[in-house]
Amino acid sequence: MAAVEFIKDLCTPALIIDLDQMKRNAEGMLERFHTLGVQLRPHMKTHKTLECADIMTGGSRRCIVVSTLAEAAFYADNGYDDILYAYPLPFDKVERCAELSERLSLFQVMVDNHLALQELKKRPLKQGQVWKVWMKLDCDNGRAGVPHCDPAALQLALEIWDTSGVELMGIYAHCGNTYACQGEQQIKAVAQDTTKIVLQFMEKLEAAGIKGVKSSIGSTPSCSQPVPDMALLSEVHPGNYIFYDVQQSLIGSCSLEDVAVRVLTRVIGHYPHRNQLLVDCGWTALSHDGGGRLPTGYAIIEGHPELKLLSMTQEHGRVEPISGKLDFKQFPLGSLLTLMPYHACATAMMHPVYFVHSKGKIIDTWKPTRGW
Ligand SMILES: Cc1ncc(COP(=O)(O)O)c(C=O)c1O
């Protein structure tokens, strides 16, 4: 139990999570894909906590995606299984992946090149176990993955399929290109394109004799605004939706009311000669993500659309009015401001502890895992 009873009494800066809203976000995603008949494999990268993972998995403690091996080990140590490490296999971490594969009933790695497969072959698993491998396909996102139109994609899938000691589990595409969308229509267009490309690739696999392999796409925008054809996929893997954020509301994944996370900050200085306030939230509490591109700067200051978080240094934030003279009486030294972050994943990463509340009353504190 937290020592402080109400969020208004917390030392700042502090990351606060609205448990009721977070549960609504989790339930919404679970229901959406239950209705579509598609397995939800939630990504843990946004929060990296056990408590949140329990809510996202509906208590099953199975079927999750992680972005670091630190997350994988943390969840494995706490009773989770069926973990997919959805990151291009780093060669320095093969031994740690092998240990997790040997310890869990289903630990899965991801490859997007022939050399990574060779690394797995060099480290056979003990007691006849096999490496469980997903192949990453780049469906025009332009990050990791074999480009979908490159013949090397089918070749790599065939090579994984034919390699002894290795089992091809699925094809994974992350449609991060939905982050360039504005509005439902554009999101749905990218979701449709990605789904179509993956399903066509699955047909190619079938034609080549590769059967029983799963397909997975996802991002918070595409899974918040899914297209009917996504029902033909085996899995989806969104993560940010658990908190949502200002960025997601601008893309069209959610409304601002759905955002479950805030940074609480206090006014620490008045500078009338600059028409500015200083707050105790620097980039160590919010991150610089978003680059200050909002009309309100680096965040939305809740209840104060007239204010802008203009800039941050490590522990200080400069706040000024968007126009006109600041009424300093409204913001006495020590008073609280509530920041809605641009990118919740980046903001949460800055905090060693999250304060979880229901209607302003603190009901728990959660500690995320960190590292790689
Ligand atoms: C490989 C991978 N899968 C899934 C996700 C989850 O997507 P989102 O953060 O849009 O929910 C991410 C997020 O960056 C990712 O990198």
Side-chain angles (χ1 to χ4, degrees):
M1 231 349 179
V4 175
E5 212 179 336
F6 297 101
I7 53 174
K8 67 177 179 47
D9 299 319
L10 282 170
C11 274
T12 50
L15 187 102
I16 55 170
I17 297 173
D18 178 340
L19 183 66
D20 307 309
Q21 185 54 51
M22 200 194 83
K23 282 185 173 169
R24 281 194 286 277
N25 295 346
E27 281 157 16
M29 197 60 84
L30 278 162
E31 264 171 43
R32 189 171 300 134
F33 285 96
H34 179 73
T35 308
L36 276 180
V38 177
Q39 175 68 51
L40 175 65
R41 181 184 287 279
H43 206 305
M44 301 293 117
K45 66 189 279 290
T46 301
H47 56 88
K48 306 186 190 223
T49 65
L50 290 176
E51 295 86 348
C52 227
D54 284 352
I55 293 169
M56 288 173 104
T57 58
S60 72
R61 299 196 155 198
R62 295 288 176 277
C63 202
I64 59 169
V65 195
V66 296
S67 55
T68 67
L69 269 183
E71 289 164 54
F74 174 68
Y75 287 109
D77 290 347
N78 285 283
Y80 274 73
D81 210 321
D82 188 354
I83 300 174
L84 168 56
Y85 176 35
Y87 194 79
L89 182 80
F91 294 180
D92 59 318
K93 299 186 179 70
V94 173
E95 186 53 37
R96 284 166 65 198
C97 287
E99 283 160 17
L100 281 165
S101 300
E102 286 161 352
R103 172 146 79 94
L104 297 180
S105 54
L106 191 51
F107 178 70
Q108 304 163 82
V109 296
M110 199 170 77
V111 301
D112 70 356
N113 64 80
H114 161 83
L115 291 176
L117 191 58
Q118 300 311 307
E119 289 297 310
L120 296 181
K121 276 167 68 179
K122 279 189 220 159
R123 172 55 170 94
L125 298 180
K126 291 176 189 151
Q127 293 172 334
Q129 284 178 280
V130 294
W131 285 100
K132 311 279 188 192
V133 177
W134 286 69
M135 192 188 101
K136 181 121 187 216
L137 194 65
D138 181 4
C139 300
D140 302 327
N141 181 35
R143 199 177 62 179
V146 196
H148 66 92
C149 45
D150 188 336
L154 186 58
Q155 276 163 23
L156 181 61
L158 283 166
E159 193 186 347
I160 300 170
W161 180 259
D162 288 335
T163 300
S164 64
V166 171
E167 184 180 343
L168 179 60
M169 299 297 292
I171 303 300
Y172 189 106
H174 172 58
C175 40
N177 41 342
T178 47
Y179 279 75
C181 294
Q182 275 186 341
E184 186 179 336
Q185 260 192 329
Q186 287 185 14
I187 297 172
K188 284 189 188 304
V190 175
Q192 183 61 46
D193 285 351
T194 311
T195 306
K196 192 170 149 204
I197 292 168
V198 168
L199 292 174
Q200 281 173 349
F201 190 73
M202 301 312 288
E203 281 171 18
K204 280 195 215 165
L205 293 187
E206 288 254 344
I210 299 180
K211 298 196 195 322
V213 171
K214 291 179 184 169
S215 53
S216 185
I217 77 154
S219 64
T220 285
S222 58
C223 293
S224 300
Q225 304 284 3
V227 290
D229 278 357
M230 283 166 74
L232 301 169
L233 298 163
S234 324
E235 298 189 356
V236 288
H237 49 245
N240 171 283
Y241 69 93
I242 192 65
F243 291 163
Y244 283 126
D245 51 34
V246 175
Q247 176 177 221
Q248 295 291 350
S249 81
L250 294 173
I251 293 168
S253 316
C254 66
S255 67
L256 282 178
E257 288 74 53
D258 299 322
V259 180
V261 66
R262 308 277 189 281
V263 174
L264 211 59
T265 184
R266 278 196 174 82
V267 177
I268 54 166
H270 284 177
Y271 304 90
H273 62 289
R274 296 199 311 262
N275 200 28
Q276 282 178 350
L277 298 172
L278 215 53
V279 292
D280 65 359
C281 177
W283 53 258
T284 50
L286 190 70
S287 95
H288 261 139
D289 231 53
R293 76 185 64 182
L294 300 170
T296 54
Y298 284 87
I300 288 180
I301 304 179
E302 215 168 18
H304 294 287
E306 77 284 11
L307 294 183
K308 175 173 185 168
L309 179 56
L310 179 73
S311 66
M312 288 174 290
T313 56
Q314 193 162 345
E315 307 294 352
H316 303 72
R318 292 187 187 89
V319 173
E320 65 179 26
I322 289 175
S323 63
K325 279 259 167 246
L326 191 59
D327 177 10
F328 286 92
K329 287 192 302 300
Q330 265 198 68
F331 308 100
L333 294 184
S335 61
L336 284 173
L337 290 175
T338 309
L339 308 178
M340 208 184 273
Y342 179 79
H343 186 188
C345 309
T347 299
M349 265 307 291
M350 312 309 278
H351 291 260
V353 61
Y354 308 157
F355 295 92
V356 182
H357 73 95
S358 178
K359 297 177 184 64
K361 189 169 167 28
I362 299 172
I363 47 181
D364 214 348
T365 51
W366 295 349
K367 292 212 167 105
T369 192
R370 294 289 181 243
W372 288 269

